[in-house]
């Protein structure tokens, strides 16, 4: 099976999952957040080395404060108990930490520090992340320098290999500002499953679909053997 090294998930559908049950949207985020360690582990167990999860964009600050606080509470609880992921996972938070409430920013930083030496898996949580902002910020950081792909990549929030596969749950078919620089050649997979329901069989279906793709990176397919 042809496996992706780096899988990203746009975790959409939490709000609808809750509304379908007559619950407040925050409950959907809570159940989505509860799935995060198992989803990451399911990918790692199947040979994926890096998992990126889109938890909160800069545009998500436009949501009602109660919902924003709910999501931040989930991420803070996760950051504080990051050890439960296992001692083989390094956690990174990509985004504008200075835009976060100080206690959340501190919890994210502490979780990064506590897992810094862990290997071989990386869990990259995007929070207060803006895709365009990431590009503009890198360009500003390098102003006056000769920009190369290499130094530009090192000025992004996290200098990771590009996502090979981007999965979006919840039925919408768009990237919503997710890693616009890094996703140039990513394979895309969309599923109607709402994130709190996203389970092992959905993960296997996404990986099997990826495995059947032929990635060409702008080149031609290999010639057919007669
Ligand atoms: C999109 O669903 C989801 C979000 C904006 C938040 C996702 C955050 C989490 C799952 C919590 C993150 C926690 C950790 C531990 C990383 P939506 O609210 O837009 O859903 P809808 O389209 O059904 O309204």
């Amino acid at each position: 099976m042809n496996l992706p090294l780096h899988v990203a998930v746009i975790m959409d559908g939490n709000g609808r999952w809750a509304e379908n049950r007559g619950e407040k949207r925050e409950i959907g985020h809570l159940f989505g957040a509860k799935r995060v360690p198992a989803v990451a582990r399911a990918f790692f167990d199947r040979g994926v080395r890096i998992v990126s999860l889109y938890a909160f964009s800069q545009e998500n600050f436009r949501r009602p404060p109660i919902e924003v606080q709910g999501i931040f509470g989930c991420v803070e609880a996760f950051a504080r108990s990051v050890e439960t992921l296992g001692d083989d996972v390094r956690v990174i938070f990509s985004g504008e930490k200075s835009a976060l409430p100080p206690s959340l920013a501190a919890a994210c930083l502490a979780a990064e520090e506590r897992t810094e030496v862990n290997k071989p898996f990386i869990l990259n949580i995007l929070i207060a992340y803006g895709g365009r902002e990431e590009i503009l910020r890198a360009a500003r950081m390098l102003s006056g320098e000769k920009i190369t792909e290499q130094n530009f990549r090192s000025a992004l929030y996290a200098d990771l290999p590009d996502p090979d596969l981007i999965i979006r749950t919840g039925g919408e078919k768009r990237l919503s500002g997710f890693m616009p620089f890094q996703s140039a050649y990513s394979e895309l997979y969309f599923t109607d499953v709402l994130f709190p329901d996203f389970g092992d069989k959905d993960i296997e279906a996404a990986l099997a679909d990826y495995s059947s793709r032929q990635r060409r990176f702008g080149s031609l397919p290999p010639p057919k053997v007669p």
Side-chain angles (χ1 to χ4, degrees), residues 34-135:
K34 275 170 84 170
R35 290 286 310 137
V36 161
V39 166
R41 183 53 66 184
F43 281 115
F44 296 148
D45 283 350
R46 287 163 179 79
V48 173
R49 301 290 291 274
I50 306 168
V51 173
S52 288
L53 300 177
Y54 202 7
F56 192 84
S57 69
Q58 288 185 359
E59 292 72 26
N60 289 149
F61 277 109
R62 296 178 193 146
R63 294 194 179 199
I66 185 89
E67 185 171 344
V68 173
Q69 282 157 19
I71 296 172
F72 285 174
C74 292
V75 178
E76 189 163 334
F78 166 83
R80 289 188 188 283
S81 62
V82 82
E83 282 74 14
T84 58
L85 285 170
D87 60 9
D88 52 358
V89 184
R90 178 176 177 196
V91 178
I92 300 171
F93 293 88
S94 296
E96 223 36 78
K97 287 195 187 71
S98 61
L100 298 173
S103 71
L104 174 55
C108 293
L109 210 60
E112 288 180 335
E113 284 169 6
R114 293 204 307 283
T115 61
E116 208 163 28
V117 293
N118 290 343
K119 288 193 171 79
F121 303 117
I122 296 178
L123 178 55
N124 176 34
I125 307 282
L126 282 77
I127 180 157
Y129 173 89
R132 289 180 178 162
E133 187 53 37
E134 180 178 39
I135 292 172

